[in-house]
């Protein structure tokens, strides 16, 4: 289960997977089915949508052929992610031909990007709803049930869904995502997110803390605070700076809920991750020592063209500070190859930055031009596809070596592991992650432990994505 979740989180970042989930135990008069693609934020949003639909008498089903309402929560980050959604719609089309009353809704970033065009291009779609308009779903469903196709893609400066308690979908009961902010103001030139998610806004600190407390009370042991750019979280409840909650402060507030509640966060932008955040991480053992710090490219000219607002040196300096303050911190990144006008020398700078930073893991992509972005309007997508791919293969090869080495270096170490469930291969083994976000598998033995318990595990073997060990007496 945990590995499934990990796999889902890994794949979803690449924008092309869907999450099945448990059937709702309550009885509802109608059934909905939802599939999520894209980033963790979309998965988290689907849990908000499920809460809204439950209120309307819709219960969840795992089987879309049974559903009265089929929803796709979509991603636009790369062209391939959009293509996946289009292909998926074909499968739904077949069912709808047999069952004309079934409603099909498109949610998420692709809905926002394409708006009413979706209804023209994909005739089976009845409802199109953008990421800030999920509260209007009941009204839109009612219209669609009356035969009227409907669209709401209004972006908002305020919507944070703060007062909606998400219904946990496909949950392992141990780890959960908690959205702390929405939107993004960064305007990286390659990125569609600012257009599909709107302006950045932070959610009220109290409602975040309450959600985390409630999760802990219900037996969850780990929360991942989510946002496109979590380090720029800022909420001020009253007048004056003394009431201001920065990301470092919020992290501390969540960490203080209980030492048994682990805290993770994603994603950090290199320009915003302050020493204050790093010191807060170092201070609390239950804040996981793991940072996802997307670099995108290792050359300063390319970083400027991408509007990342930092240089190669700035990034390397941040990595150095992380290593100084938390020598045991796990580090991962995102990299794009073949951005507009990138030369072979500039690509080599990405390779050398990888050598210097030694990431434990990386998500790597070739550049995919997105309509409407500044790069699409201003720069030529002029690196040939085969060159983009060759560069991608080079960075993947280099990273695979680094990952293998990083995992191998853990042999002999002892880690605290939060048990997320049975290992994928055998129900005689547990699996869970260490603080650094590495998956650890170990035999259950005779110890009377359960999902959600912590175990001390000594590592004996490693692959490039899993540590294998044995429990030691605490
Ligand atoms: N907010 C996060 C990234 C969210 S998108 C951040 O700024 O770090 C996840 C990743 O998708 C990005 O880090 C980037 O590496 C990749 N990505 C975004 N747009 C892309 C595009 N047009 N082509 C290829 N990869 C892209
Ligand atoms: Fe996109 Fe940049 Fe915002 Fe990340 S920070 S979501 S890459 S615009
Ligand atoms: Fe995709 Fe939107 Fe997330 S474009 S990566 S689902 S914010």
């Amino acid at each position: 289960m945990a590995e499934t979740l990990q796999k889902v989180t890994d794949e979803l970042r690449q924008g092309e997977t869907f999450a099945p989930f448990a059937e709702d135990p309550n009885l509802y008069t109608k059934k909905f089915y939802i599939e999520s693609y894209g980033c963790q934020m979309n998965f988290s949003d689907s849990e908000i949508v499920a809460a809204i639909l439950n209120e309307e008498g819709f219960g969840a089903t795992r089987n879309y052929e049974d559903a009265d309402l089929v929803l796709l929560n979509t991603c636009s980050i790369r062209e391939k992610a959009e293509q996946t959604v289009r292909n998926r719609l074909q499968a739904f089309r077949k069912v709808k031909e047999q069952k004309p009353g079934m409603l099909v809704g498109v949610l998420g970033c692709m809905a926002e990007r394409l708006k009413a065009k979706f209804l023209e291009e994909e005739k089976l779609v009845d409802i199109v709803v953008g990421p800030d308009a999920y509260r209007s779903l009941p009204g839109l469903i009612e219209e669609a049930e009356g035969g009227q196709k409907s669209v709401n893609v209004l972006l908002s400066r305020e919507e944070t869904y703060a007062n909606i308690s998400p219904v946990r979908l496909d949950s392992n009961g141990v780890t959960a995502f908690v959205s702390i902010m929405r939107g993004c103001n960064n305007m990286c030139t390659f990125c569609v997110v600012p257009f599909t998610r709107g302006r950045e806004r932070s959610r009220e600190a109290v409602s975040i803390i309450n959600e985390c407390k409630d999760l802990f009370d219900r037996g969850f042991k780990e929360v991942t605070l989510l946002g496109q750019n979590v380090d720029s979280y800022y909420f001020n409840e009253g007048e004056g700076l003394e009431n201001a909650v920065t990301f470092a402060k919020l992290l501390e507030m969540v960490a203080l809920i209980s030492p048994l509640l682990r805290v993770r966060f994603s994603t950090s932008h290199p320009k915003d991750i302050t020493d204050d955040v790093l010191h807060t991480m170092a201070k609390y053992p239950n804040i996981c020592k793991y940072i996802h710090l997307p670099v995108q490219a290792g050359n300063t000219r390319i970083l400027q063209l991408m509007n990342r607002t930092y240089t190669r040196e700035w990034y390397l300096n941040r990595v150095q500070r992380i290593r100084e303050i938390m020598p045991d911190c796990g580090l991962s990144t995102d990299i794009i190859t073949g951005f507009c006008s990138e030369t072979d020398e500039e690509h080599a700078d990405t390779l050398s930055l990888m050598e210097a930073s030694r990431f434990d893991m990386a998500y790597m992509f070739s550049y995919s031009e997105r309509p409407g972005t500044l790069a699409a309007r201003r720069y030529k997508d002029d690196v040939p596809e085969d060159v983009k791919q060759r560069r991608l293969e080079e960075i993947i090869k280099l990273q695979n070596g680094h990952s293998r080495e990083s995992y191998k270096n853990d042999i002999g170490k002892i880690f605290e592991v939060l048990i997320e469930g049975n290992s994928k291969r055998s129900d005689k083994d547990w699996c869970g992650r260490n603080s650094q976000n590495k998956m650890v598998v170990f035999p259950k033995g005779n110890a009377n432990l359960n999902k959600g318990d912590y175990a001390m595990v000594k590592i004996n073997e490693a692959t490039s994505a899993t540590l294998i060990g044995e429990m030691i007496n605490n």
Side-chain angles (χ1 to χ4, degrees):
M1 188 66 169
E3 281 174 33
T4 312
L5 186 76
Q6 182 59 37
K7 187 162 168 282
V8 167
T9 44
D10 287 354
E11 283 178 8
L12 64 86
R13 291 190 51 84
Q14 290 157 28
E16 53 206 9
T17 191
F18 74 97
F21 51 88
E23 267 183 52
D24 207 293
N26 299 317
L27 282 175
Y28 293 96
T29 52
K30 291 175 274 185
K31 288 185 187 158
F32 78 94
Y33 170 87
I34 190 165
E35 257 180 39
S36 308
Y37 295 78
C39 61
Q40 292 159 336
M41 194 60 103
N42 256 9
F43 283 70
S44 171
D45 278 2
S46 291
E47 300 187 329
I48 288 167
V49 168
I52 293 171
L53 291 176
N54 278 178
E55 287 287 304
E56 296 299 307
F58 281 92
T61 170
R62 277 173 175 278
N63 183 358
Y64 66 84
E65 292 174 357
D66 282 351
D68 303 289
L69 172 66
V70 172
L71 298 172
L72 270 184
N73 199 351
T74 63
C75 174
S76 288
I77 202 82
R78 284 168 291 277
E79 198 182 340
K80 204 170 145 214
E82 292 203 349
Q83 201 47 53
T84 310
V85 167
R86 301 247 189 209
N87 295 343
R88 200 61 189 140
L89 282 172
Q90 297 309 317
F92 298 157
R93 189 186 311 277
K94 292 210 181 77
V95 180
K96 194 162 170 161
E97 277 163 10
Q98 310 297 319
K99 210 176 136 187
M102 179 179 98
L103 297 180
V104 176
V106 177
L107 318 177
C109 290
M110 223 176 140
E112 192 62 49
R113 195 178 83 70
L114 292 166
K115 305 188 169 63
K117 261 206 266 175
F118 235 120
L119 298 181
E120 291 160 30
E121 291 175 10
E122 306 282 352
K123 296 281 182 243
L124 83 161
V125 174
D126 302 288
I127 304 169
V128 178
V129 198
D132 286 350
Y134 297 145
R135 281 180 209 270
S136 69
L137 257 170
L140 300 179
I141 292 169
E142 212 178 292
E143 280 175 32
E145 283 171 339
Q148 171 92 42
K149 299 205 175 216
S150 48
V151 179
N152 187 350
V153 286
L154 290 178
L155 288 173
S156 157
R157 278 173 179 271
E158 282 93 38
E159 182 61 271
T160 57
Y161 301 110
N163 61 346
I164 295 180
S165 296
V167 171
R168 304 293 159 186
L169 298 171
D170 198 27
S171 170
N172 58 8
V174 179
T175 61
F177 297 135
V178 175
S179 296
I180 64 164
M181 62 202 301
R182 302 185 68 83
C184 184
N185 285 353
N186 283 334
M187 300 303 274
C188 302
T189 56
F190 54 80
C191 184
V192 78
V193 173
F195 302 94
T196 61
R197 292 272 165 174
R199 304 289 292 173
E200 180 179 302
R201 64 227 102 113
S202 295
R203 175 178 163 192
E204 225 182 328
V206 220
S207 83
I208 297 169
I209 302 302
N210 287 344
E211 186 175 332
C212 295
K213 272 189 185 147
D214 177 58
L215 284 164
F216 183 67
D217 290 344
R218 290 196 284 134
F220 285 82
K221 294 290 174 53
E222 184 181 293
V223 289
T224 302
L225 308 180
L226 286 186
Q228 290 300 346
N229 186 12
V230 283
D231 297 77
S232 74
Y233 177 89
Y234 185 83
F235 194 84
N236 202 338
E237 311 236 356
E239 299 289 303
L241 281 177
E242 67 278 8
N243 295 313
V245 183
T246 59
F247 181 60
K249 178 85 183 120
L250 182 76
L251 258 185
E252 178 162 56
M253 288 159 77
V254 181
L256 287 170
I257 291 174
S258 165
L260 290 177
L261 180 69
R262 272 185 173 182
V263 191
R264 297 186 186 276
F265 55 89
S266 189
T267 303
S268 295
H269 192 294
K271 79 175 162 55
D272 296 311
I273 188 154
T274 57
D275 282 5
D276 209 14
V277 169
L278 302 180
H279 287 302
T280 306
M281 288 178 74
K283 183 170 164 195
Y284 293 95
N286 59 327
I287 303 182
C288 290
K289 304 295 175 279
Y290 168 65
I291 301 176
H292 182 62
L293 199 65
V295 64
Q296 315 298 1
N299 173 273
T300 297
R301 187 187 75 89
I302 295 295
L303 287 169
Q304 273 166 354
L305 274 185
M306 289 176 160
N307 192 31
R308 289 294 286 184
T309 70
Y310 53 84
T311 59
R312 171 189 174 90
E313 289 69 33
W314 169 278
Y315 186 89
L316 288 171
N317 173 277
R318 288 287 84 204
V319 172
Q320 195 187 337
R321 285 302 280 156
I322 293 168
R323 305 274 192 230
E324 278 164 19
I325 297 171
M326 290 172 288
D328 63 342
C329 192
L331 188 66
S332 61
T333 200
D334 291 347
I335 297 173
I336 299 176
T337 61
F339 186 62
C340 312
S341 76
E342 184 190 63
T343 64
D344 273 334
E345 290 72 38
E346 287 163 337
H347 162 66
D349 286 342
T350 299
L351 296 168
S352 73
L353 180 135
M354 292 169 74
E355 287 289 3
S357 309
R358 289 286 168 154
F359 301 110
D360 300 293
M361 206 262 295
Y363 298 97
M364 296 160 279
F365 315 98
S366 63
Y367 173 58
S368 164
E369 185 178 82
R370 306 313 293 132
T373 55
L374 199 111
R377 284 181 280 134
R378 239 183 243 172
Y379 311 136
K380 231 165 126 194
D381 181 13
D382 56 359
V383 177
E385 199 51 43
D386 59 328
V387 177
K388 283 182 187 172
Q389 288 307 322
R390 193 202 73 223
R391 290 180 190 165
L392 181 62
E393 279 159 27
E394 282 175 25
I395 61 167
I396 290 175
K397 188 161 167 242
L398 182 62
Q399 182 54 46
N400 283 347
H402 290 169
S403 297
R404 251 195 315 276
E405 204 166 305
S406 154
Y407 279 70
K408 220 173 79 196
N409 281 340
D410 287 336
I411 293 176
K413 291 185 190 163
I414 294 167
F415 293 114
E416 185 183 65
V417 176
L418 172 61
I419 300 175
E420 293 181 19
N422 290 339
S423 103
K424 207 162 40 181
R425 295 237 177 98
S426 158
D427 60 8
K428 294 195 169 54
D429 293 339
W430 288 124
C431 79
R433 279 168 297 150
N434 67 4
S435 177
Q436 291 74 11
N437 208 36
K438 286 178 177 161
M439 191 55 80
V440 182
V441 174
F442 57 97
K444 292 180 178 177
N446 299 324
N448 191 19
L449 290 175
N450 282 308
K451 238 170 52 157
D453 288 338
Y454 290 96
M456 296 307 287
V457 179
K458 181 166 180 254
I459 306 305
N460 299 325
E461 285 173 65
T463 70
S464 60
T466 314
L467 299 173
I468 300 151
E470 61 187 330
M471 246 185 295
I472 57 163
N473 292 330
N474 300 348

